[in-house]
Amino acid sequence: MLTKSQAKIFFLAGTIIFSVLFLGLSYDTHVNKHDDQTNADKITPEVVAGKHLWESNNCMGCHTIFGEGAYYAPELTKVIERRGAPYVKGVLMSPTPWGEHTSGRKMVAYGFSEEEANNLIAYFEWIGNVDLNGFPAKPKYEIKKTK
Amino acid sequence: MKYTTQKVAYWFFLSALGLLALQIVYGFIMGFAHMGMDGLHDFIPFNTARAVHTNLLVCWLLLGFMGSAYYIIPEESQNELYSPKLAYIQLISFLAVGVTAVIAYHFNWWEGRKFLEIPRPLDYLVVVNVLAFLFNILMTLFKGKKQTTTALVLTMGLLFSALLYLPGMIWFDSQTLDSFYRWYVVHLWVEGVWELIMGGILAFLLIKITGVDREVIEKWLYVIVGLTFLSGILGTGHHFYYIGAPSYWLWIGGIFSALEPLAFLAMALFALNMYRKGEKKHPNKTALNWTLGAAITSFVGAGLLGAAHTLPNVNLYTHGTLVTAMHGHMAFWGAYAMIVLAIIAYAMPNLTGRKLFNNGISQYAFWLSNIGMIGMTVAFGVAGVAQVYLERILGVDFMETQKEIEPHFLVLVLCASGFTIGITLYIINFFKFGKPTDEALVAAS
Ligand code: HEM
Ligand code: HEM
Ligand SMILES: [Fe+2]
């Protein structure tokens, strides 16, 4: 039967082995693979400024990006591909809550300046080109609304 | 209680319950918003409500863990707490930081990273605060007569939680790296080191309630936390599938995260077996309910409902949908909320000398909150599965899908009301105990 000290060795050895493996793989991801897979050379100052805006307004508190965030407002990873930059710019610069008259669910009216909106669009464009191993999946069907 | 300084725990428990009550209020705001009623939008937009809801959750759980440590460590190490004064300073400053952050979220001041929304300057204060806490606990532990396995596992969990907070504080220009290291905090907390804290509290409660030999309980504690790290560390990979990290995480994360339920299963079997084995029938049935309840519900909420969407081919469709919210609620509830409510239910009679367990109100509190939470989980689950089929498989637009699933949020809010009545009863019973008193010292020994 297992003794307490054997159980302790199982715990300590497992912890050390798997921590080392995890740190090794993290290193490989960060140092060897990240730049190619994400086009890190395309992270311009505009993209970085966009990321600052994304964070300082907590956009993730309603939306998801890379599927991470909240479930109240649309996934934005491919938003430029789906809507086009001009539409997105309209949303960002709108002085009144977006969605008020269409879906009923309101977005905060940020009323971003032209420059800020462009930075966020640069950020979305970079995001949209990251290789995400197939996310988001293409829907299997295409459904039409009848009424 | 055996040591007068254990009384400190009371104030942590009181604060924790206060923040829980506030967390629930913001949950309702979001529940109604999902139903199409966001009348508070101009004052409390959804992202504010959400940041408050989840941050208060983390804050009250941490206060609960700290209170547990202040109660358990003196008793386990047979020694008064090193500095009760430091503990009070630490409690007040923790609350001050938490309340400041919550207010800040109403004024668009935050860091906008899921679960780590606390503005950066406040992060540093959290770090100082936690260092003070750890110092107090470590000094108590090492000046004590004994360093039991239970105490060591609990302390290790707390220490590692502090260390793992740090990777979340580094700025990255790349959203991919930002997210990658954010999971060092979020995943390695709830599916790693917090399980040590849960295991430590669970072992303490089982030793006290069942009277089973400490050596047996602590042996299984090692096995459980061993399984946790064996699966949970590489299991972090289940968050790396679709964020721009290499594809080897699909199979590494898939395999190891699929093993994670084992630790929770072991926890449930362990608790039930120790209960059966126990000769001593402890009179505090309410504490027993919460203890066994935590072990079982965490297996369902974290183990089963986590495993349900952890394989890469399933997660591709469920990632970032209400399916995740379904799992998040029952996992946090079963594993961490319930274990904190269990230790409070166990500690209060000992701190105050009043035996208010097994009364109707504490029974109703247990059953109503749990049945309410099961209902909420089902409501989120139905909404989530419907969302996956409509939006991800049939290609219906996001907002159109949300309109279709609105009715499920009515069910959510109704079940949440039952849940809230349960929590209210729990809090009423807590106040009925009154304040801790030194007279309770004699009563315990
Ligand atoms: C007590 C332990 C656990 C808690 C408190 C917990 C909580 C959560 C929370 C809050 C999220 C959302 C995170 C975010 O998107 O930022 C999440 C995601 C996830 N959890 Fe857990 N979890 C636990 C255990 C588990 C276990 C054991 C498994 C697997 C067997 C699991 C599988 C997952 C998966 C796959 C996701 C990602 C969902 C997505 O792609 O959107 N969880 N968990
Ligand atoms: C009255 C009770 C509650 C209601 C109505 C409620 C409602 C909600 C809603 C609507 C969301 C937002 C989902 C979204 O982003 O769209 C949410 C998020 C969350 N709530 Fe609650 N909640 C309640 C209680 C709780 C409790 C007791 C816990 C923990 C034990 C909890 C933990 C969480 C977590 C972890 C998240 C983030 C989930 C994720 O991102 O996947 N909630 N809640
Ligand atoms: Fe995870």
Side-chain angles (χ1 to χ4, degrees), chain B residues 383-445:
Chain B
V385 171
Q387 181 191 3
V388 168
Y389 279 99
L390 286 174
E391 183 196 325
R392 303 280 171 97
I393 295 184
L394 299 180
V396 178
D397 168 73
F398 178 92
M399 290 307 305
E400 305 253 347
T401 302
Q402 293 293 314
K403 262 256 160 311
E404 295 301 328
I405 62 178
E406 271 178 9
H408 304 300
F409 285 89
L410 176 61
V411 180
L412 177 82
V413 166
L414 288 176
C415 296
S417 306
F419 172 81
T420 308
I421 297 172
I423 296 296
T424 311
L425 293 177
Y426 188 100
I427 295 177
I428 291 175
N429 201 48
F430 180 88
F431 281 117
K432 280 185 151 184
F433 276 105
K435 300 235 176 66
T437 155
D438 281 337
E439 281 158 42
L441 265 182
V442 203
S445 55

Side-chain angles (χ1 to χ4, degrees), chain A residues 67-69 71, chain B residues 50 57 114-115 182-183 186-187 189-192 194-195 198 238-239 241-242 256-261 264 298 301-311 315-316 318-321 323-325 327-336:
Chain A
E68 294 182 352
Y71 319 122
Chain B
R50 194 184 204 286
L57 167 66
K114 191 178 184 181
F115 289 114
R182 194 174 62 82
W183 291 115
V186 181
H187 172 98
W189 268 16
V190 300
E191 288 155 72
W194 279 25
E195 285 181 51
M198 179 188 175
H238 68 178
H239 302 288
Y241 298 158
Y242 307 121
F256 285 93
S257 69
L259 296 175
E260 283 179 36
F264 288 100
S298 64
L304 292 182
L305 296 182
H309 56 144
T310 201
L311 295 178
N315 193 257
L316 178 62
T318 59
H319 181 45
T321 64
V323 169
T324 309
H327 152 69
H329 277 84
M330 195 172 247
F332 261 112
W333 169 252
Y336 303 122

Side-chain angles (χ1 to χ4, degrees), chain A residues 70-71, chain B residues 23-24 27 30 34 46 50 53 114 329 332 376:
Chain A
Y71 319 122
Chain B
Q23 182 209 344
I24 291 176
M30 288 192 289
H34 267 285
F46 190 88
R50 194 184 204 286
H53 183 69
K114 191 178 184 181
H329 277 84
F332 261 112
M376 287 166 61

Side-chain angles (χ1 to χ4, degrees), chain A residues 1-4 7-8 10-11 15 18-19 21-23 25-26 28-30 33-34 37-38 43 48 51-52 54-58 60-62 64-75 83 97 103-108 110 123 126-127 130-135 137-143 145, chain B residues 33-34 38 41 45-47 50 108 110-114 149 156 171-184 188 215 218-220 222-223 225-227 229-230 233-234 236 241-249 252 256 316-317 319-322 324-325 392-395 398-400 402-403:
Chain A
M1 202 33 202
L2 185 79
T3 64
K4 189 173 170 188
K8 186 175 181 179
F10 166 69
F11 166 64
T15 304
F18 287 101
S19 300
L21 277 173
F22 181 65
L23 288 172
L25 287 165
S26 292
D28 181 63
T29 298
H30 186 156
K33 306 282 177 7
H34 168 264
Q37 188 165 350
T38 66
I43 303 181
V48 176
K51 181 168 182 277
H52 275 289
W54 173 262
E55 286 184 12
S56 60
N57 292 291
N58 191 18
M60 227 187 194
C62 292
T64 45
I65 197 110
F66 294 166
E68 294 182 352
Y71 319 122
Y72 191 64
E75 224 302 318
R83 300 284 196 189
S103 66
R105 221 178 247 187
K106 289 181 241 164
M107 173 161 153
V108 176
Y110 289 105
Y123 169 75
W126 175 77
I127 290 276
V130 173
D131 172 2
L132 297 180
N133 301 327
F135 182 84
K138 284 255 173 304
K140 293 199 180 110
Y141 304 87
E142 220 173 300
I143 296 283
K145 214 176 171 178
Chain B
H34 267 285
D38 68 340
H41 175 88
F46 190 88
N47 57 347
R50 194 184 204 286
N108 203 25
W110 39 29
E111 213 178 273
R113 295 158 71 230
K114 191 178 184 181
T149 302
M156 233 169 112
W171 167 269
F172 292 101
D173 287 346
S174 156
Q175 184 67 40
T176 295
L177 291 177
D178 189 304
S179 169
F180 191 85
Y181 289 105
R182 194 174 62 82
W183 291 115
Y184 268 56
L188 288 176
E215 287 303 300
E218 293 183 337
K219 174 175 85 180
W220 290 111
Y222 272 132
V223 174
V225 294
L227 284 172
F229 282 156
L230 181 129
I233 297 177
L234 289 178
T236 318
Y241 298 158
Y242 307 121
I243 61 166
S247 56
Y248 53 66
W249 288 111
I252 296 175
F256 285 93
L316 178 62
Y317 291 95
H319 181 45
T321 64
L322 289 159
T324 309
R392 303 280 171 97
I393 295 184
L394 299 180
F398 178 92
M399 290 307 305
E400 305 253 347
Q402 293 293 314
K403 262 256 160 311

Side-chain angles (χ1 to χ4, degrees), chain B residues 199-221:
Chain B
I201 300 176
L202 187 66
F204 176 81
L205 286 168
L206 289 174
I207 290 170
K208 299 290 165 183
I209 294 177
T210 68
V212 171
D213 182 37
R214 174 184 288 280
E215 287 303 300
V216 177
I217 289 192
E218 293 183 337
K219 174 175 85 180
W220 290 111
L221 177 60

Side-chain angles (χ1 to χ4, degrees), chain B residues 2-183:
Chain B
K2 299 208 169 81
Y3 298 90
T4 62
T5 45
Q6 284 178 297
K7 281 190 311 223
V8 170
Y10 172 84
W11 300 100
F12 281 79
F13 294 154
L14 175 69
S15 315
L17 293 177
L19 299 190
L20 163 62
L22 199 57
Q23 182 209 344
I24 291 176
V25 173
Y26 284 80
F28 275 107
I29 296 178
M30 288 192 289
F32 280 108
H34 267 285
M35 266 162 74
M37 296 191 243
D38 68 340
L40 288 173
H41 175 88
D42 294 338
F43 318 99
I44 308 177
F46 190 88
N47 57 347
T48 297
R50 194 184 204 286
V52 174
H53 183 69
T54 54
N55 282 259
L56 283 177
L57 167 66
V58 175
C59 281
W60 82 259
L61 291 178
L62 287 175
L63 284 173
F65 294 161
M66 289 174 180
S68 309
Y70 284 134
Y71 185 86
I72 294 175
I73 299 295
E75 193 156 325
E76 285 286 296
S77 60
Q78 301 178 7
N79 185 17
E80 292 287 352
L81 181 65
Y82 176 71
S83 166
K85 202 163 147 204
L86 183 61
Y88 287 118
I89 296 175
Q90 190 244 320
L91 171 64
I92 292 166
S93 59
F94 188 94
L95 283 173
V97 172
V99 170
T100 310
V102 164
I103 295 173
Y105 299 157
H106 291 77
F107 296 94
N108 203 25
W109 187 40
W110 39 29
E111 213 178 273
R113 295 158 71 230
K114 191 178 184 181
F115 289 114
L116 305 183
E117 287 90 349
I118 293 189
R120 183 54 46 86
L122 297 184
D123 274 338
Y124 296 110
L125 295 177
V126 173
V127 172
V128 175
N129 190 280
V130 170
L131 286 177
F133 163 74
L134 287 172
F135 173 74
N136 214 352
I137 289 297
L138 287 172
M139 290 303 285
T140 311
L141 189 60
F142 290 111
K143 289 201 156 188
K145 293 196 193 71
K146 268 196 188 150
Q147 284 91 36
T148 63
T149 302
T150 301
L152 286 175
V153 169
L154 176 61
T155 309
M156 233 169 112
L158 294 161
L159 192 71
F160 284 161
S161 301
L163 281 178
L164 283 168
Y165 191 64
L166 304 177
M169 290 173 59
I170 309 167
W171 167 269
F172 292 101
D173 287 346
S174 156
Q175 184 67 40
T176 295
L177 291 177
D178 189 304
S179 169
F180 191 85
Y181 289 105
R182 194 174 62 82
W183 291 115

